Amino acid sequence: MKLIIQIPCYNEAETLRIALDDLPKQIDGIDEIEYLIINDGSKDNTVEVAKEWGVNYVVNFKQNRGLAKGFMAGIDACLRNGADIIVNTDADDQYCGEDIETIVRPIINGESDIVIGARPIDETADFSPIKKKLQHFGSWVVQKASGTDIPDAPSGFRAYSREAAMQLNVTNAYTYTLETIVQAGRNRIPMTSVPIRTNRELRPSRLFSSMTGYIKKSMITILRSYVMYKPLTSFMIIGTVPFVAGLILGIRFLVFMAMHNAMGHVQSLILASTLLMLGFITWLMGIMADTIASNRKILEDVQKHVRNTDYEISRLNDKE
């Protein structure tokens, strides 16, 4: 069984060696461990540091494309190189390398296909009180959107089995952490969480420049992911609001008409008709979106087949 540990990097020359030195060299149940970095358009000597350390693979972007794109490029590269398990960790040594064995163990034992490391948020000194509350709130929102019980949704320390990795498909350009949980939950991929440790912060986070920006982007990502994977439910809920309002106004007009007092309420009839039409059109959009989502599922199955073919080819090449 081969484990590939991937690390997205953007100008990480100062901390990358520390993170690499912390990674495990052997794990019970794993026959082979390899290392991969995704160079997301770094301007420093991140790649040189990685090669000097001895990483097995380097995925290069000529310019910065963001964490989500880098994550998916790493997943594809790991699958092409025959990974049975893929672990994603950070280049700033935020996560304890020894805990990689903890997050891969449920996959080795056949208990889960995705394992997410849950940080001790309330005990982390580098998190401000407001950030701790927001982390808990964001995770709660993701739990409701995905139908899962993952306590630390923004955690980037996670492990994927080959089967789960082949089904991943991130569409937003911001971060993979939230969307992949919603996707896995809606696709019923076995997923669990295990407690992990964290190291002291070596540098500030580069994922967001302000707390407001982080909240805004996270909420948009969660909402977009939910609508993408549950379009019919989403549009039905949205369309129900104007339809019910129009229905109430329409009934109100009929009551006035029955009382022979409808002459002064024609505007209500026009508004009611408009709202009813708006609600009905929104429902039709939901049906169309649900049809598109079915096509998306077919495309995901095709993507999984292509990735599986790449994996089988890599296995044949290894045997030769």
Side-chain angles (χ1 to χ4, degrees), residues 192-297:
T192 190
S193 178
V194 295
I196 59 167
R197 297 164 293 174
T198 56
N199 300 316
R200 291 305 302 268
E201 189 176 273
L202 297 180
R203 60 161 176 77
S205 173
R206 294 173 180 164
L207 187 59
F208 57 93
S209 56
S210 67
M211 192 62 65
T212 303
Y214 172 71
I215 296 172
K216 178 182 177 181
K217 290 182 178 179
S218 296
M219 291 299 103
I220 291 175
T221 299
I222 296 169
L223 179 61
R224 187 170 180 266
S225 299
Y226 184 81
V227 173
M228 183 180 300
Y229 294 103
K230 300 288 287 185
L232 186 59
T233 301
S234 302
F235 280 93
M236 285 297 177
I237 293 173
I238 295 171
T240 298
V241 176
F243 189 87
V244 170
L247 191 63
I248 293 173
L249 287 174
I251 293 173
R252 176 175 176 269
F253 179 81
L254 292 175
V255 171
F256 280 123
M257 188 172 67
M259 297 171 60
H260 305 288
N261 189 26
M263 290 300 295
H265 301 279
V266 177
Q267 297 90 338
S268 296
L269 179 62
I270 296 173
L271 180 58
S273 301
T274 302
L275 290 173
L276 288 170
M277 289 178 60
L278 182 60
F280 184 71
I281 291 172
T282 304
W283 288 343
L284 290 179
M285 291 174 60
I287 295 173
M288 294 175 60
D290 192 58
T291 303
I292 294 172
S294 298
N295 291 331
R296 172 189 169 86
K297 180 61 179 175

Side-chain angles (χ1 to χ4, degrees), residues 47-288:
V47 175
E48 288 75 11
V49 170
K51 289 181 176 179
E52 287 175 5
W53 188 87
V55 298
N56 302 87
Y57 313 104
V58 176
V59 176
N60 267 310
F61 289 164
K62 294 181 180 179
Q63 64 180 20
N64 184 260
R65 298 179 62 186
L67 182 59
K69 294 290 185 182
F71 170 78
M72 286 308 303
I75 291 292
D76 286 335
C78 289
L79 291 172
R80 286 196 302 271
N81 287 285
D84 295 297
I85 301 176
I86 301 169
V87 166
N88 188 89
T89 187
D90 284 356
D92 60 357
D93 198 39
Q94 175 185 172
Y95 307 110
C96 183
E98 292 181 357
D99 287 340
I100 288 180
E101 180 170 3
T102 302
I103 66 171
V104 301
R105 186 57 55 192
I107 297 177
I108 295 173
N109 294 340
E111 300 167 355
S112 185
D113 282 322
I114 299 178
V115 183
I116 298 176
R119 297 165 293 181
I121 294 175
D122 293 327
E123 289 77 38
T124 302
D126 294 322
F127 288 177
S128 65
I130 187 171
K131 185 174 182 178
K132 293 176 182 178
K133 293 183 181 299
L134 289 173
Q135 292 277 13
H136 287 304
F137 176 72
S139 296
W140 176 81
V141 173
V142 173
Q143 288 173 2
K144 297 303 178 184
S146 63
T148 66
D149 57 356
I150 302 300
D152 187 8
S155 172
F157 192 48
R158 46 184 69 186
Y160 298 90
S161 70
R162 180 179 73 252
E163 179 69 18
M166 287 182 179
Q167 300 179 60
L168 293 179
N169 187 25
V170 179
T171 59
N172 81 88
Y174 174 54
T175 179
Y176 64 90
T177 56
L178 308 179
E179 182 177 345
T180 50
I181 293 177
V182 175
Q183 180 187 24
R186 293 304 168 186
N187 289 341
R188 300 187 181 279
I189 300 175
M191 179 168 46
T192 190
S193 178
V194 295
I196 59 167
R197 297 164 293 174
T198 56
N199 300 316
R200 291 305 302 268
E201 189 176 273
L202 297 180
R203 60 161 176 77
S205 173
R206 294 173 180 164
L207 187 59
F208 57 93
S209 56
S210 67
M211 192 62 65
T212 303
Y214 172 71
I215 296 172
K216 178 182 177 181
K217 290 182 178 179
S218 296
M219 291 299 103
I220 291 175
T221 299
I222 296 169
L223 179 61
R224 187 170 180 266
S225 299
Y226 184 81
V227 173
M228 183 180 300
Y229 294 103
K230 300 288 287 185
L232 186 59
T233 301
S234 302
F235 280 93
M236 285 297 177
I237 293 173
I238 295 171
T240 298
V241 176
F243 189 87
V244 170
L247 191 63
I248 293 173
L249 287 174
I251 293 173
R252 176 175 176 269
F253 179 81
L254 292 175
V255 171
F256 280 123
M257 188 172 67
M259 297 171 60
H260 305 288
N261 189 26
M263 290 300 295
H265 301 279
V266 177
Q267 297 90 338
S268 296
L269 179 62
I270 296 173
L271 180 58
S273 301
T274 302
L275 290 173
L276 288 170
M277 289 178 60
L278 182 60
F280 184 71
I281 291 172
T282 304
W283 288 343
L284 290 179
M285 291 174 60
I287 295 173
M288 294 175 60

